[in-house]
Amino acid sequence: MDWLWQWHNVGLTWLPFLGMVIGAVIVLLIGLGVVTYEIYFERKVLGWMQGRIGPNRVGPLGLFQSFADILKLLIKEDVVPEKADRSLFLLAPVIAFIPSFMVLAVIPFSRTHVFTANLSIGALYYLALSAITIHGVMLGGWASNNKYALIGGMRSAAQMLSYEIPLGLSLVGVVLMAGSLNLNDIVAAQRTWWFVIPQILGFLVFLVAATAELNRTPFDLPEAESELVAGYHVEYTGFRFAFFMLTEYLYMFAMAGLAATLFLGGWLGPWLPGWLWFAIKVAAFIFFQFWLRATMPRLRVDQLMSFSWKVLLPVALLNLVITAVVKAWV
Amino acid sequence: MALLDEANQVRTEEMLLNVGPQHPSTHGVFRLLVKISGETILDADPVIGYLHRGTEKLAEDLQYTQIIPYTDRLDYLAAMLNNYAFCHTVEEALDIQVPERAEYLRVILMEMQRIASHLLFIGTYLLDLGAMSPFLYVFQERERIVQLFNEISGARMTYNFMRIGGVKYDAPPGWLDKVRAFVPFMREKIKMYDSLITGNEIFLDRTRGVGVYDAETALAYGMSGINLRSTGFDWDLRRKKPYSIYDRFDFAVPLGQHGDCFDRYYLHLLEMGESLKIVEQALEQIPDTGPVLGKVPRLIRIPAGEYYSGIEGARGELGFFIVSDGKDKPYRLKIRKPSFVNLQLLPQLLRGQNIANLIAILGAVDIVLGEVDA
């Protein structure tokens, strides 16, 4: 059975390849399952916080509500606006969607990381791939040939680019401490203490930048409902719209996984099995996002930009310098 | 330099953005044609009339009592105040005495209505700014008010409750006690909103110094209500031209300082507290028994002439102007609609702002399209 745990270190033969395929399918299913219940719990938690009940009709406690919604989206007519750039319009959700699944490949779910890759540049891989999604969002906004979508797409591109930088810099502090870009090594380096303690500044920057990257309240400008109606996906219907939503919720899962891995010790923890610890940390991060959504109003676009460049970036740089100096001394 | 020259040659265009009439933040069917360059607004052109029902013209063919239900549908968030404003004008014209108990019931209902309307303003304004929860919270408090109104009038939104010379029904047994219990409950809630919203840094950033105008501009545009008071100009008809029994109550008129969106929001919050004070005092002073409908002729005929009276509505001076030729129907009815008047400054306020501020400024004007379009 040793090969099963070590398949990523063995040369590519049929058996490891089969293992990879099975692993990929399982991650895919985990991702979809997480998204389904992310949506359900988002609506439920928001409902509780707002004195409502939330979905409770489909299945016991409304547990099958998300399935019904997805099914509804799948059987809807796939409308392409007449004046839209047809090929780009059809392609954009795919461009946005594929990287969101690919980043899951490097997140170590548990100690054995049997389903995911033990990539030596894991952190970099995540950042690089997640940046591709911006193209999908921007192209979707552009190709829709709708003014609201265009503004939403442009805002989205500007926002995600601006916040990618502090996000990346906050990551570098952790990488410096662990001495590796490999997410498994980063988790292993947190055996003594979680990086959230020495990297508290970096963690705060990460938290804000991650929220902005995910387009969540208070940084949900690209789809600011009260201004841009729905932002970049205003013209999308049916399963293409579902793809955009799926992308967002998958990224929330992936970002939660990244946060847990980088700052909260990943699957490390006493008594409970590793995957459960990982799940608890991910759930906590996701809950935090829901909580923010129920609490905060939205920033204005110019405030958003100046906040990234004038506050987050200097703080992230400061954190980096402090980490480097301490690391060199100790 | 070559790069700069190249950049200058990029052709840019102004974009015409059509905001509304189907848009989540136009508070109904308001349409705004906005000329933008990037996200900056160059010009704004409001288009109204999508909800026009010709109330003023319809009224010319209706007897005076028949007009009352039509006033419900003007500002449908403050129907009691509309009811009263119309009845009050006719009463003034005919010099009708309204019984004490009816007058107190009217004041209680009007101030409760003001609270309900202001609550909805706070909820929708925060929703415009992207915070979803307050919108759902305010409906819980408003529900209590609406329930109380339902008990006394039988309707939740279009009450048709006030009559010329009084009110339709007396309060059912125990109703006044329920209102009495509502006052401290609402006080707590106002405190809650104050601590939830007023101190929120993002909210302050979005509203402070946004949509500023001074008292002179506001007066020149005929603004009234909170839109005028936010500039610091002390003008409240309940104080300046006391109607009904408002001279018997002790209440303050909160004033703004900067004339920005934050002041307009905060005045709504403070006014709810003042309205509660009035309700509390009215509950103490109200006579236990007595008629609620005064002596009014069967068929109301107003002597030929012109009559106007205005009251402090939830959104400003709400007035009815009646031209009568001595018949049982008005020759002409003109409504002074505060939302409509307050909206006129909007294009000037929007120039040079960005799209996000558009929503913040429009929301703070607090319009109700039923009233703007009438």
Side-chain angles (χ1 to χ4, degrees):
Chain A
M1 287 298 276
D2 236 18
W3 58 269
L4 190 61
W5 312 115
Q6 295 293 326
W7 58 266
H8 34 70
N9 295 331
V10 188
L12 194 62
T13 54
W14 274 110
L15 211 55
F17 180 71
L18 198 67
M20 266 190 224
V21 171
I22 294 171
V25 170
I26 290 174
V27 172
L28 183 83
L29 291 179
I30 292 176
L32 287 177
V34 168
V35 167
T36 311
Y37 281 96
E38 240 174 5
I39 296 172
Y40 169 74
F41 276 108
E42 166 147 42
R43 295 176 61 182
K44 216 60 177 163
V45 168
L46 268 186
W48 290 328
M49 287 184 176
Q50 294 168 344
R52 300 182 284 121
I53 297 169
N56 69 341
R57 292 282 125 186
V58 189
L61 300 171
L63 278 168
F64 301 140
Q65 179 68 49
S66 302
F67 291 106
D69 289 343
I70 292 167
L71 189 70
K72 180 201 75 178
L73 285 174
L74 287 180
I75 59 178
K76 276 215 163 180
E77 188 189 351
D78 180 23
V79 181
V80 181
E82 201 182 334
K83 292 277 174 66
D85 185 333
R86 198 180 162 82
S87 47
L88 271 186
F89 185 84
L90 299 182
L91 196 62
V94 183
I95 297 176
F97 167 71
I98 289 177
S100 69
F101 258 126
M102 288 173 74
V103 294
L104 288 179
V106 289
I107 308 278
F109 292 156
S110 69
R111 188 174 55 81
T112 53
H113 49 79
V114 60
F115 303 132
T116 49
N118 190 12
L119 206 60
S120 57
I121 50 156
L124 191 63
Y125 170 89
Y126 185 102
L127 277 184
L129 275 182
S130 73
I132 296 176
T133 296
I134 302 174
H135 296 85
V137 167
M138 209 171 88
L139 286 176
W142 176 260
S144 302
N145 202 0
N146 176 307
K147 289 165 181 173
Y148 288 111
L150 177 67
I151 297 173
M154 292 302 152
R155 273 186 180 186
S156 196
Q159 174 178 337
M160 284 165 128
L161 284 177
S162 315
Y163 279 85
E164 202 110 285
I165 296 160
L167 187 78
L169 282 176
S170 69
L171 247 129
V172 176
V174 172
V175 171
L176 269 182
M177 299 236 0
S180 167
L181 278 165
N182 186 327
L183 292 178
N184 288 309
D185 291 350
I186 290 175
V187 173
Q190 299 182 64
R191 281 204 189 281
T192 40
W193 56 22
W194 294 355
F195 282 156
V196 65
I197 301 159
Q199 286 288 319
I200 182 70
L201 214 55
F203 180 64
L204 292 177
V205 172
F206 178 88
L207 212 54
V208 177
T211 311
E213 277 290 295
L214 295 170
N215 292 337
R216 304 274 315 173
T217 315
F219 305 103
D220 58 342
L221 283 91
E223 44 204 281
E225 190 183 286
S226 51
E227 295 151 29
L228 302 178
V229 191
Y232 60 87
H233 53 53
V234 69
E235 291 285 1
Y236 281 90
T237 52
F239 74 98
R240 288 183 202 284
F241 170 75
F243 266 38
F244 274 125
M245 293 316 279
L246 195 59
T247 309
E248 278 190 16
Y249 282 90
L250 261 181
Y251 266 122
M252 188 146 71
F253 174 44
M255 197 61 95
L258 193 67
T261 306
L262 292 175
F263 293 99
L264 304 175
W267 39 261
L268 288 173
W271 308 304
L272 298 172
W275 61 269
L276 194 56
W277 269 113
F278 182 78
I280 290 170
K281 289 164 189 174
V282 165
F285 182 89
I286 292 174
F287 175 79
F288 179 71
Q289 300 289 334
F290 297 164
W291 192 8
L292 274 185
R293 179 164 172 204
T295 316
M296 293 283 181
R298 183 182 306 121
L299 275 171
R300 203 168 59 213
V301 67
D302 52 318
Q303 294 164 344
L304 178 92
M305 288 298 162
S306 61
F307 184 66
S308 167
W309 294 102
K310 291 180 184 166
V311 180
L312 277 190
L313 191 60
V315 172
L317 279 171
L318 181 72
N319 175 55
L320 187 58
V321 170
I322 294 173
T323 313
V325 168
V326 170
K327 178 88 176 168
W329 267 30
V330 180
Chain B
M1 276 314 282
L3 260 177
L4 204 69
D5 286 341
E6 213 169 296
N8 283 339
Q9 279 165 13
V10 172
R11 195 171 61 94
T12 59
E13 260 180 53
E14 291 163 6
M15 189 161 88
L16 195 66
L17 187 68
N18 183 33
V19 181
Q22 273 89 32
H23 186 281
S25 298
T26 51
H27 295 248
V29 281
F30 179 60
R31 181 173 169 218
L32 203 57
L33 281 167
V34 198
K35 208 183 275 174
I36 52 174
S37 158
E39 287 226 10
T40 313
I41 297 169
L42 301 175
D43 205 1
D45 188 11
V47 183
I48 59 170
Y50 290 90
L51 203 58
H52 180 64
R53 294 149 297 181
T55 311
E56 291 177 1
K57 185 70 190 167
L58 285 171
E60 290 171 16
D61 224 12
L62 295 167
Q63 290 175 356
Y64 287 103
T65 40
Q66 290 176 319
I67 297 173
I68 301 171
Y70 283 79
T71 63
D72 279 333
R73 283 140 183 97
L74 293 174
D75 176 356
Y76 40 75
L77 298 179
M80 284 291 182
L81 288 155
N82 299 340
N83 278 186
Y84 178 80
F86 177 72
C87 294
H88 180 60
T89 312
V90 178
E91 283 158 13
E92 291 255 290
L94 290 176
D95 226 358
I96 293 174
Q97 281 300 314
V98 181
E100 281 278 285
R101 190 169 163 85
E103 212 47 296
Y104 276 104
L105 276 178
R106 282 175 166 191
V107 166
I108 292 171
L109 289 170
M110 280 198 286
E111 293 309 317
M112 299 266 280
Q113 182 74 84
R114 198 185 307 278
I115 295 169
S117 172
H118 283 4
L119 270 177
L120 214 62
F121 164 81
I122 289 173
T124 51
Y125 192 48
L126 267 289
L127 189 69
D128 286 349
L129 295 179
M132 194 181 162
S133 302
F135 182 66
L136 292 143
Y137 290 166
V138 296
F139 269 95
Q140 295 174 359
E141 278 83 72
R142 184 172 177 273
E143 181 64 22
R144 296 240 340 210
I145 297 178
V146 168
Q147 281 295 343
L148 287 169
F149 281 10
N150 190 17
E151 279 175 37
I152 197 169
S153 74
R156 289 168 53 89
M157 197 157 150
T158 49
Y159 312 106
N160 186 20
F161 184 63
M162 308 252 180
R163 291 289 178 273
I164 294 159
V167 294
K168 175 74 177 148
Y169 307 109
D170 199 350
W175 189 82
L176 288 172
D177 292 326
K178 282 183 191 166
V179 178
R180 213 163 272 138
F182 173 78
V183 174
F185 164 80
M186 193 60 217
R187 275 225 173 96
E188 281 305 305
K189 291 293 174 183
I190 292 174
K191 261 186 219 153
M192 182 191 85
Y193 286 121
D194 196 20
S195 60
L196 264 184
I197 302 166
T198 313
N200 188 306
E201 200 60 42
I202 297 176
F203 175 73
L204 292 181
D205 277 351
R206 285 292 305 271
T207 52
R208 277 235 170 107
V210 172
V212 183
Y213 51 82
D214 55 9
E216 243 169 82
T217 319
L219 285 172
Y221 275 81
M223 288 177 139
S224 52
I226 285 178
N227 280 287
L228 176 59
R229 288 195 288 275
S230 72
T231 63
F233 190 85
D234 188 5
W235 186 256
D236 188 323
L237 286 177
R238 288 175 295 177
R239 264 288 150 69
K240 297 290 171 186
K241 288 182 184 169
Y243 52 92
S244 187
I245 46 170
Y246 275 106
D247 48 352
R248 298 184 201 173
F249 303 118
D250 168 41
F251 65 98
V253 178
L255 294 177
Q257 287 167 345
H258 311 289
D260 57 5
C261 289
F262 175 78
D263 277 3
R264 266 161 260 160
Y265 149 77
Y266 201 53
L267 288 188
H268 278 92
L269 201 69
L270 293 178
E271 276 201 2
M272 290 202 292
E274 298 304 323
S275 290
L276 280 180
K277 268 192 210 165
I278 297 175
V279 172
E280 212 169 31
Q281 292 169 47
L283 284 170
E284 275 169 26
Q285 298 172 15
I286 187 169
D288 287 333
T289 49
V292 291
L293 198 56
K295 278 222 162 301
V296 184
R298 256 263 151 87
L299 194 60
I300 292 164
R301 279 193 174 100
I302 297 184
E306 296 178 355
Y307 307 91
Y308 175 82
S309 85
I311 67 158
E312 187 68 30
R315 285 164 185 77
E317 179 176 345
L318 173 65
F320 281 81
F321 178 68
I322 298 172
V323 182
S324 173
D325 52 1
K327 295 205 185 100
D328 56 344
K329 294 165 184 166
Y331 174 75
R332 170 87 170 92
L333 178 72
K334 168 85 179 84
I335 309 163
R336 190 205 187 273
K337 303 164 283 186
S339 293
F340 175 77
V341 178
N342 292 344
L343 195 58
Q344 305 308 315
L345 188 58
L346 189 69
Q348 197 184 316
L349 281 180
L350 289 181
R351 251 165 244 148
Q353 306 281 355
N354 63 26
I355 297 176
N357 275 351
L358 183 164
I359 303 301
I361 293 170
L362 174 64
V365 177
D366 190 16
I367 51 168
V368 169
L369 265 297
E371 187 174 80
V372 174
D373 292 343

